[in-house]
C-alpha cells in the first residue's frame, strides 16, 4: 500500500521561520503572522493533543503506512534449530507461522524463496517501550519491513514521534561484540559523543542492541541522563536493529500499539540473539520475515541515513543540508565495508584509534603514502590486530582489504583519526565537527561557497568555539556583508555567542539593521511570544482584505501600546502614495540582506511625520519583546542613547509582564526589567560623577529615536523608582523645585519674602543666575514668585485659609441666606474649579481630548478634587433651597472632610511626612482586606446572637443594631448587659417591640421574670467571638501593619522621591498667584489662548530640545561613559568570590589536562623521534645501496660480499591529516585510480580488487581473476561486438587505423593477450569493453575555451601578480560538478566522443577532429559549428594522452586531446560571436563563464587539463 503523500522534508521549516527578507517571494514563502495560528484566541500557547489522542492517531496511521514481513509458506529446514526444534527456512517454527502458511501451495515443491514466500502485512509492533526494572524512561519503537521507503520512516520520526529535525546526523558503527577500551579513552569518547549531540541537536544512529559499540553509546547517554545537564535536552539515540535477532521481542507485539510495551532484558538467556539497549530513545526494528539473520537492517539504515542527509533544514532564512558523520570504534569486515561505502559517498569518518581491530588498522596506516600500504603491510596488521580471525583470512580477502584501505586512505580529506592527546585534542566532539568542516572545506565550490557552508554548519551546531578556531582565521578574510545572512539566522535562533562573534568580525548593526531585515525578524518571532500575539491582533483589526502583510507601522502600534501614549510612533504609517517597498526578491535557500535604507523606502515630505531610524534601537526592541536577555545585552552595549534605551526596555518588559500568563516568563521579564533599570542607573551615575550639568541634560533631552520622549519621562512611566530616586535625578528635581532661586536659601527666608516681598531688594534670598543676583526690581520679583517652591507655599497658605474660612462658615456663620464669608468661599471654590479645568485642558504635552481626560484622571488627587467639587455643588444646591437647608449643611460638612484629606497631597512634599503618608496609604489596603475577614466574624456572631435572644424582630434599624452594630462594639468592650442574664431587666426593653427607642426584649419567662434563652450558649459564643476577634484578628491586623511598615519602610524613601516628581511638575506649571487671585492668571491665559490664539510659550524644564551638534556631542560623551561602566561591571564580576572560585577551578582543571597532555605528548614525541630515526636509517640504507650499486657498475668489487639491505619498514607515526601541500607527491600512487573503483558506474558489476602494487602488468598477480563486462548499446553498428572470447574480435586491427577508426594509442603500441588489448596503464579489475564504444583506445576531444577576467573598466584582473582566466563550463542538472564542454561524466557513452568517429586522416595526424563534441553541440547554435571547428584547428594542444576514467577496463580505455582556445582581446569578433551563439538546447544543461581557480568544482581530470591550460598562459590557478 502506498503511503499518503508526504510533505517534502527538504522544504520543512521550523515553527516561526519564513522566507528571506527583502523579496516578493512566492506566495507562502514567508509565513504571515495572521495565518500562523488558527485563531486569535487569548491563549497563545500551542494546544498539544493529549496522550490518548496521540495514541489513537498513531494506532490508525502506522498500520496503514508501515508494514511487517511474514513467511506465508512453511518449508522445513534440513537442520534443526539450536533448541532442537524443526524450523522453516525462514528460521521460525511451525507454531510461529500463520495458519495459512501450513497449507499446501502450488509451489510446494519449489525451494524457499523470500521474494515469493514472504509477504508484507500491517505491522503489529509499535508504540512506547519501557524496560522492566530499569526505571520509568520511555522510548518509541516500531517494527517495519525492510522495503519501507525512508520518507515514511522520516515522517514517522518527525511528525508522529515529535523529533525535531536534526542539525547533524552521527552514525556510530563498529564491533557488534563487546570489546575492551582503555578507561580514559572510553570516558573521552562518551563525553565527546554526548556533547556533540547535545550542543548541535544531532541524532545518533546505532545498531540499537545491548552489545559492542551500541552498548558504549547507550552507556554514554545514560551517563549524560544522570548528570545535572540532562534537563537541557534529551539526546536522541536511534537504534536500527534486525527484528528477527531481538531477544524477547514477543513482548513488543501489540496489534493496536503498546502504550507502553514492557520489555525485559535477559542477557543470560539471549543465546545467539541480542537484547535491545535500554539507553536508546527510539528503535526501528527492520523485518525481512526471517529469524536469527543479522545484517538485515544495514541496507535500510544506509538508505535512511542517505535520505536524512539529503533533507534541508532552514532556520533564519539560511538552509543547510543535514550533514552526516560516521564514527568508528573497533569493528570487523562489516565495519570496513561500512567505512568504504561512507568514504565513497563523501561521508566524513572519524576513526577512534585505540578501540581495536579495523579502527586501529586504518589509524595506523592512515599517515603512510599509498605506495607503502602494501598487501604485506596489511597482512602484518591483520595478524597483530585479528589474532583469532587471521587464520580465516584468504589471500584474496587480504587483497580486497588492502584495496579498500588504500581507497579509504586516499581520500584523506574525509578521514579523521582521533588519537588521545593528539595536538591537544581531548574531545571526540571537536574531532567530529572538525571532520565535517574539513570535508566541507575540501569540497570544490565557486568563490566563498565552502566557507559559507562551514559557517552555516557551525551556526546550526551552535558551536562558536569551532567557528573561532576553524572558520574565522587569517586564511579567509570575511566581509561584513557576507555575514549578514548568518547574523540574521543567529538572531532568530537566539545564539548570542555567534552574534558577538559576528560583531567582533566587522558586522555593523547600523548597516545590518535595514527595514527589510527588521520586517523579516518580526515575521519570525517565536510562536509563543506575547508580542507575536499582539501583532496578530493588530493585523486582525486591519480593514485590508485579503489578510494584510506585516508592516513596520503595525510593529510601531504595538510598541506604542507598550511604551505608552506619551511617545510618538517609532515607525509612521505610510501613505497610500508612498507605500514602502519592503519585500525584495531573494533566493530561496539563503538570502542577502539588501542595503536599502529606510529613507529610501519612506519618501518623506514636509507634511509627513518625521522620525529617526536607529537600527541598533530596532534590534534591541526585537530582542526585548521576546525576553532574550543575552541578545539584548549584546545589542544594548552597541546602542547610542543607552540610558533611554535601558529605561524603555524596562518599561516594555514591565508592561508585557502584566499580560503574561506564564509565571516563569513573568518572573524573567520583571528580573530583566530590573536589570535594565540598574544599567540605566549605572550609566547615569558615571555621567553624573563626570559632569552634573551634562548628566541632567541627558535626563530631559528629547530623544527622537524613542518617540520624542525623555529619559525622565520613560523612568516615570515605567515606575523605575530606583532610577528616579537617584541623587542626580533628585538634584535635578530640587533644582526645578527652587526655580531660579538658589537651593541654599532657607525656607524661612522664602516665607518671609512671600509675606513681605520688598525684602527681595535686600538680598535676603539668593538666585542661581548672576544676572538676577545683580539686578533689582521686577525681574527678581517675577523670578521669585514663579519659583515652584514659592507657588507651592502660597497655595498651601491659601488652602489653609480656605479651610479655616470653610470651617468658620459651617460652624459659626451658616445663615439661611449666604453671608459675605460664604460668598467668598463660593468665589474661592470657583477659582479652584478654574484651576482644575486648566490642568485638564492645558497638559504639559499637546495631545487629544480623550488622552487629556485620561491623563488627568490617572492622578488620584485629581479624582478626589472632582469628587469634592461635585459634592460641594450638591451641597450648595441643597443649601440654596430653603426646604433642604439642613441636608445641604450636612453635605457641605462631609465635603469639608474631603477637602481636608486633600492636605495629605500637600504634605507629600515633606521629607518627614511624605513617607509616612505613603505608609498610611499602603496600610489602608491592609485594612480593607482585614475588614473582609472581620465582617465574617461580626456578621456570623451578630446573626446567631440576635436569633437566639430576640424572637421575630421586624424593625430593620434594630435588626442592624443587634446583628452588626452591637457585635462590632463588643470588640471594643461594650458587651450587651443581658447577654449572660445577670443584668436582665425588662424595664430596659420593649416586650412587643413597639417602643421605637427601646430594643425588643429577649426570650424570657414573663411569670418568673427570668430569661428563657440558654445563657451558657450565649456566653460561650461571646467568649469564642472575643477570642477570635480581639486576640486573633486584631493581632493579625497588627502583624499586617508591621509587615507593611517594614516592607514599605525600606522603599519609602524611594517611593517618596518618585512621587515627589508629580508635585513638583504640578506646581512648576501652575500659575504663580494662589486662589482666589489665580482667577487673574486664568483670565490672562484665556485671552492669550482663546481670543488672541497665541500658543503657550511657557518654559518646559522637563523637556529640552537640543541642537544637532550639541546632541551628537552629548551622546558621544554618554557612549564613552557607558564603555567605562561596562568595563567596571566586568571588573566587578571578576572580583566576586564566586567568580574567583570558578576561575581558579577552571585553571586547576586546565593544569591537570595540560599535565596529562604533556605526558601523552612526551610519549608521542618519543615515538616520533624513533620514527624519524628509522626514516634517517632508511635513507642512509638507500644511499649506501646506491653507492654499492654505483661502485659495482663501475667495476669496483664483485657480487660476492654485497651486503643485503633490509626493506624499509613503514612508519606508523605520521599524521594522516598533514596538509596536502606539505606531503611529497607519492610516486606509488601515480597509477590510475578512478579506473579501479570497485563498483563499475551504471551497473551492478564489481571489479576485482587491485591494490596499487599489483597494477602493472609486469607484477605477478596469480589470483587475479577479473569479471568480464561489455554493456549492450542501442547503436550496435558503431560499437565493437559483445563477448568474452577472442573470435568476435579477430577481425579488428589493433594498433592501426581501421577504416574511419583509429585504434592507435598516444602511448605507443599496446600489448594483446588472448586477442584482447591490454590497458597500457595496468590492471583495472575488469575485463571487457565495459560501457565504452570500442576495445582499445577510445579517442575524445576536449576544448578548453578561455578568456581574461576583466573588471568594469575593462582591465585584466590579477591575483598574486598573475592574470586571471575565465573558462567556459557546462553542467548537467543531475550532476554536482561542472565540466569542460567536451566530456561529461555518467552517460551511457563517453560524451565528448564525436557523433561520428573523425576521419582517419585527422586521427592519424593527431590533429583535432573536424566534428565537434556532443556537449559542445548542445550549447552552440548550429550556424556557429563550422566557425568553431576553425578555432579548434588553430588552437594550442595542452594535453594528449590517457584519461583516468571510471569506465576504463583492462581492454578498453579513454584517451583525449585537449585543445586550448584562448581569446586574449575582449573585442575579439570571434569571442562576441561565440557569446551570441551560446544557447543551451537541453533544459537540463547549464553553461557559464567561470573564474579559473584550484577550487573550481570540476571533475578531477578536467582540473588537471585546466591547470595545464593556465600554465600555458602563465595565468593564476
Amino acid at each position: 500500500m502506498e503511503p499518503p503523500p508526504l510533505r517534502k522534508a527538504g522544504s520543512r521549516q521550523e515553527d516561526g521561520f519564513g522566507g528571506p527578507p527583502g523579496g516578493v517571494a512566492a506566495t507562502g514563502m514567508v509565513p504571515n503572522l495572521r495565518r500562523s495560528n488558527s485563531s486569535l484566541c487569548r491563549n497563545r500557547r500551542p494546544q498539544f493533543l493529549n496522550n490518548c489522542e496521540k495514541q489513537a492517531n498513531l494506532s490508525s496511521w502506522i498500520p496503514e503506512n508501515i508494514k511487517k514481513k511474514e513467511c506465508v509458506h512453511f518449508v522445513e529446514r534440513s537442520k534443526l534449530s539450536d533448541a532442537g526444534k524443526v524450523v522453516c527456512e525462514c528460521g521460525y517454527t511451525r507454531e510461529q507461522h500463520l495458519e495459512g502458511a501450513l497449507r499446501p501451495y502450488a509451489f510446494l515443491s519449489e525451494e524457499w524463496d523470500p521474494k515469493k514466500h514472504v509477504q508484507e502485512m500491517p505491522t503489529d509492533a509499535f508504540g512506547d517501550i519501557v524496560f522492566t526494572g530499569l526505571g520509568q524512561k520511555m522510548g518509541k519503537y516500531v517494527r517495519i519491513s525492510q522495503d519501507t521507503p525512508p520518507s515514511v520512516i522520516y515522517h514517522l520520526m518527525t511528525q508522529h514521534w515529535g523529533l525535531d529535525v536534526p542539525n547533524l546526523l552521527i552514525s556510530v558503527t563498529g564491533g557488534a561484540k563487546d570489546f575492551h577500551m582503555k578507561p580514559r579513552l572510553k570516558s573521552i569518547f562518551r563525553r565527546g559523543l554526548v556533547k556533540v549531540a547535545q550542543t548541535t541537536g544531532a541524532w545518533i544512529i546505532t545498531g540499537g542492541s545491548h552489545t559492542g559499540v551500541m552498548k558504549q553509546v547507550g552507556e554514554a547517554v545514560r551517563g549524560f541522563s544522570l548528570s545535572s545537564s540532562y534537563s537541557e535536552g534529551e539526546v536522541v539515540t536511534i537504534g536500527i536493529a534486525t527484528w528477527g535477532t531481538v531477544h524477547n521481542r514477543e513482548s513488543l507485539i501489540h496489534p493496536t500499539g503498546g502504550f507502553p510495551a514492557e520489555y525485559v532484558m535477559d542477557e543470560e538467556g539471549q543465546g545467539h540473539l541480542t537484547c535491545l539497549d535500554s539507553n536508546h530513545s527510539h528503535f526501528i526494528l527492520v523485518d525481512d520475515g526471517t529469524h536469527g539473520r543479522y545484517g538485515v537492517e544495514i541496507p535500510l539504515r544506509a538508505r535512511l541515513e542517505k535520505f536524512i542527509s539529503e533533507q534541508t533544514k532552514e532556520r533564519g532564512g539560511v538552509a543547510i543540508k543535514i550533514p552526516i558523520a560516521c564514527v568508528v570504534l573497533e569493528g570487523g569486515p562489516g565495519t570496513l565495508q561500512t567505512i568504504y561505502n561512507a568514504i565513497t559517498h563523501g561521508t566524513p569518518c572519524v576513526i577512534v584509534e585505540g578501540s581495536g581491530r579495523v579502527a586501529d588498522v586504518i589509524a595506523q596506516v592512515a599517515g603512510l603514502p599509498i605506495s607503502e600500504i602494501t598487501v604485506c603491510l596489511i597482512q602484518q596488521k591483520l595478524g597483530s590486530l585479528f589474532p583469532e580471525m587471521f587464520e580465516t583470512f584468504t589471500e584474496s580477502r587480504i587483497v580486497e582489504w588492502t584495496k579498500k584501505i588504500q581507497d579509504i586512505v586516499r581520500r584523506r580529506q574525509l578521514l579523521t583519526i582521533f588519537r588521545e592527546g593528539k595536538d591537544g585534542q581531548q574531545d571526540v566532539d571537536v574531532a567530529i565537527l572538525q571532520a565535517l568542516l574539513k570535508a566541507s572545506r575540501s569540497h570544490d565550490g565557486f568563490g566563498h561557497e565552502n566557507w559559507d557552508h562551514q559557517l552555516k554548519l557551525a551556526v546550526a551546531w551552535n558551536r562558536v568555539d569551532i567557528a573561532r578556531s576553524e572558520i574565522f582565521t587569517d586564511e579567509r578574510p570575511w566581509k561584513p556583508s557576507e555575514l549578514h545572512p548568518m547574523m540574521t539566522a543567529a538572531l532568530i535562533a537566539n545564539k548570542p555567542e555567534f552574534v558577538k562573534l559576528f560583531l567582533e568580525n566587522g558586522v555593523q548593526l547600523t548597516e545590518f539593521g535595514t527595514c527589510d531585515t527588521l520586517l523579516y525578524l518580526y515575521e519570525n518571532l517565536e510562536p509563543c511570544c506575547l508580542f507575536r500575539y499582539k501583532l496578530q491582533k493588530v493585523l486582525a483589526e486591519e480593514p485590508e482584505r485579503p489578510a494584510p502583510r506585516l508592516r513596520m507601522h503595525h510593529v510601531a502600534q504595538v510598541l506604542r501600546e507598550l511604551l505608552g501614549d506619551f511617545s510618538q510612533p517609532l515607525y509612521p504609517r505610510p501613505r497610500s502614495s508612498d507605500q514602502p517597498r519592503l519585500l525584495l526578491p531573494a533566493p530561496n535557500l539563503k538570502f542577502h540582506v539588501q542595503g536599502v535604507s529606510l529613507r529610501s523606502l519612506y519618501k518623506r515630505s514636509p507634511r509627513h511625520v518625521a522620525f529617526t531610524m536607529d537600527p541598533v534601537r530596532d534590534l534591541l526592541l526585537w530582542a526585548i519583546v521576546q525576553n532574550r536577555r543575552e541578545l539584548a545585552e549584546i545589542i544594548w552595549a552597541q546602542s547610542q542613547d543607552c540610558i533611554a534605551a535601558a529605561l524603555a526596555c524596562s518599561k516594555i518588559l514591565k508592561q508585557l509582564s502584566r499580560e503574561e500568563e506564564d509565571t516563569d516568563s513573568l518572573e524573567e521579564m520583571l528580573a530583566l526589567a530590573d536589570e535594565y533599570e540598574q544599567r540605566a542607573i549605572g550609566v547615569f551615575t558615571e555621567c553624573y560623577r563626570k559632569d552634573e550639568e551634562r548628566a541632567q541634560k541627558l535626563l530631559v533631552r528629547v530623544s527622537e529615536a524613542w518617540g520624542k520622549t525623555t529619559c525622565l519621562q520613560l523612568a516615570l512611566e515605567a515606575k523605575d523608582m530606583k532610577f528616579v530616586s537617584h541623587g542626580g535625578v533628585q538634584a535635578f528635581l530640587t533644582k526645578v523645585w527652587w526655580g531660579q532661586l538658589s537651593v541654599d536659601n532657607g525656607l524661612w527666608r522664602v516665607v518671609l519674602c512671600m509675606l513681605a516681598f520688598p525684602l527681595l531688594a535686600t538680598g535676603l534670598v539668593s538666585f542661581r543666575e548672576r544676572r538676577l543676583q545683580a539686578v533689582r526690581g521686577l525681574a527678581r520679583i517675577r523670578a521669585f514668585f514663579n519659583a515652584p517652591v514659592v507657588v507651592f507655599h502660597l497655595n498651601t497658605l491659601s488652602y489653609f485659609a480656605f479651610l479655616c474660612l470653610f470651617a468658620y462658615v459651617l460652624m459659626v456663620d451658616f445663615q439661611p441666606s449666604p453671608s459675605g464669608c460664604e460668598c467668598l468661599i463660593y468665589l474661592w471654590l470657583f477659582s479652584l474649579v478654574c484651576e482644575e479645568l486648566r490642568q485638564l485642558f492645558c497638559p504639559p504635552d499637546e495631545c487629544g481630548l480623550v488622552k487629556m481626560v485620561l491623563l488627568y484622571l490617572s492622578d488620584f488627587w485629581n479624582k478626589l478634587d472632582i469628587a469634592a467639587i461635585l459634592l460641594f455643588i450638591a451641597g450648595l444646591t441643597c443649601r440654596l433651597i430653603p426646604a433642604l437647608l439642613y441636608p445641604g449643611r450636612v453635605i457641605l460638612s462631609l465635603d469639608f472632610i474631603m477637602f481636608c484629606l486633600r492636605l495629605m497631597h500637600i504634605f507629600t512634599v515633606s521629607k518627614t511626612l511624605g513617607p509616612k503618608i505613603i505608609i498610611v496609604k499602603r496600610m489602608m489596603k491592609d485594612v480593607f482586606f482585614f475588614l473582609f475577614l472581620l465582617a465574617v466574624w461580626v456578621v456570623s456572631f451578630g446573626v446567631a446572637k440576635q436569633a437566639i435572644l430576640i424572637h421575630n424582630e421586624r424593625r430593620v434599624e434594630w435588626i442592624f443594631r443587634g446583628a452588626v452594630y452591637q457585635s462590632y462594639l463588643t470588640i471594643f468592650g461594650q458587651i450587651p448587659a443581658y447577654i449572660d442574664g445577670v443584668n436582665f431587666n425588662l424595664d430596659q426593653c420593649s416586650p412587643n417591640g413597639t417602643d421605637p427607642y427601646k430594643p425588643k426584649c429577649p426570650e424570657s419567662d414573663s411569670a418568673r421574670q427570668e430569661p428563657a434563652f440558654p445563657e451558657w450558649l450565649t456566653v460561650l459564643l461571646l467568649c469564642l467571638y472575643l477570642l477570635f476577634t480581639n486576640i486573633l484578628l486584631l493581632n493579625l491586623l497588627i502583624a499586617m501593619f508591621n509587615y507593611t511598615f517594614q516592607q514599605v519602610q525600606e522603599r519609602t524613601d524611594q517611593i517618596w522621591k518618585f512621587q515627589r516628581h508629580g508635585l513638583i511638575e504640578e506646581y512648576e506649571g501652575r500659575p504663580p498667584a494662589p486662589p482666589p487671585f489665580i482667577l487673574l492668571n486664568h483670565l490672562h491665559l484665556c485671552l492669550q489662548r482663546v481670543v488672541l490664539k497665541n500658543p503657550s510659550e511657557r518654559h518646559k524644564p522637563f523637556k529640552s530640545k537640543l541642537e544637532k551638534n550639541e546632541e551628537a556631542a552629548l551622546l558621544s560623551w554618554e557612549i564613552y561613559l557607558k564603555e567605562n561602566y561596562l568595563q567596571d561591571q566586568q571588573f566587578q564580576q571578576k572580583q566576586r568570590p564566586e567568580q574567583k572560585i570558578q576561575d581558579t577551578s577552571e585553571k586547576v582543571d586546565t593544569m591537570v589536562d595540560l599535565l596529562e597532555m604533556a605526558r601523552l605528548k612526551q610519549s608521542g614525541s618519543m615515538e616520533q623521534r624513533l620514527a624519524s630515526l628509522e626514516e634517517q636509517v632508511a635513507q642512509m640504507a638507500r644511499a649506501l645501496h646506491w653507492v654499492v650499486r654505483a661502485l659495482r657498475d663501475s667495476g669496483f668489487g664483485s657480487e660476492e660480499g654485497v651486503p643485503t639491505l633490509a626493506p624499509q619498514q613503514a612508519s606508523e607515526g605520521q599524521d594522516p591529516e598533514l596538509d596536502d601541500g606539505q606531503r611529497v607527491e607519492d610516486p606509488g600512487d601515480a597509477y590510475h585510480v578512478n579506473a579501479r573503483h570497485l563498483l563499475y558506474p551504471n551497473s551492478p558489476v564489481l571489479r576485482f580488487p587491485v591494490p596499487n602494487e599489483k597494477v602493472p602488468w609486469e607484477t605477478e598477480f596469480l589470483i587475479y581473476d577479473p569479471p568480464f563486462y561489455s554493456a549492450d548499446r542501442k547503436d550496435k553498428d558503431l560499437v565493437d561486438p559483445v563477448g568474452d572470447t577472442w573470435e568476435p574480435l579477430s577481425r579488428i586491427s589493433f594498433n592501426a587505423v581501421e577504416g574511419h577508426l583509429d585504434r592507435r594509442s598516444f602511448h605507443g603500441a599496446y600489448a594483446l593477450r588472448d586477442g584482447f588489448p591490454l590497458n597500457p596503464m595496468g590492471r583495472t579489475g575488469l575485463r571487457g569493453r565495459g560501457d565504452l564504444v570500442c576495445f582499445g583506445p577510445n579517442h575524445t576531444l576536449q576544448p578548453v575555451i578561455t578568456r581574461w577576467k576583466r573588471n568594469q573598466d575593462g582591465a585584466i584582473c590579477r591575483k598574486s601578480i598573475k592574470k586571471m582566466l575565465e573558462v567556459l563550463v557546462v553542467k548537467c542538472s543531475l550532476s554536482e560538478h561542472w565540466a569542460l564542454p567536451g566530456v561529461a561524466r555518467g552517460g551511457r557513452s563517453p560524451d565528448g566522443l564525436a557523433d561520428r568517429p573523425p576521419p582517419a586522416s585527422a586521427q592519424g595526424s593527431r590533429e583535432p577532429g573536424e566534428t565537434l563534441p556532443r556537449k559542445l553541440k548542445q550549447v552552440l547554435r548550429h550556424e556557429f559549428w563550422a566557425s568553431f571547428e576553425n578555432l579548434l584547428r588553430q588552437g594550442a594542444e595542452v594535453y594528449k594522452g590517457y584519461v583516468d576514467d571510471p569506465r576504463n577496463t583492462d581492454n578498453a580505455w579513454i584517451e583525449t586531446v585537449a585543445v586550448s582556445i584562448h581569446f586574449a582581446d575582449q573585442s575579439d569578433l570571434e569571442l562576441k560571436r561565440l557569446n551570441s551563439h551560446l544557447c543551451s538546447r537541453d533544459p537540463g544543461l547549464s553553461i557559464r563563464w567561470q573564474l579559473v581557480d584550484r577550487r573550481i568544482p570540476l571533475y578531477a581530470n578536467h582540473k588537471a587539463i585546466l591547470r595545464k591550460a593556465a600554465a600555458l598562459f602563465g595565468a593564476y590557478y
Side-chain angles (χ1 to χ4, degrees), residues 15 28 166-167 219 258 282 450 585 639 684 686 737 780 821 898 907 1100 1126 1140 1346 1412 1438 1443 1447 1486 1504 1515:
D15 292 337
N167 295 314
E219 290 177 352
H282 300 78
N450 286 338
S639 62
F684 183 73
E686 292 286 335
W737 178 244
R780 299 190 69 180
C821 293
M898 299 186 69
F907 293 148
K1100 297 181 180 179
L1126 293 176
K1140 287 186 176 181
T1346 58
L1412 296 181
V1438 294
V1443 177
R1447 293 168 294 180
S1486 303

Side-chain angles (χ1 to χ4, degrees), residues 727 1234 1322 1386 1513:
N1234 296 328
F1513 301 105

Side-chain angles (χ1 to χ4, degrees), residues 70 156 300 463 767 837 840 875 883 1014 1138 1149 1185:
E70 289 278 2
L156 169 68
L300 178 62
R463 293 297 296 264
F767 294 85
L837 292 175
L840 174 61
E1138 300 87 351
D1149 293 341
H1185 186 77

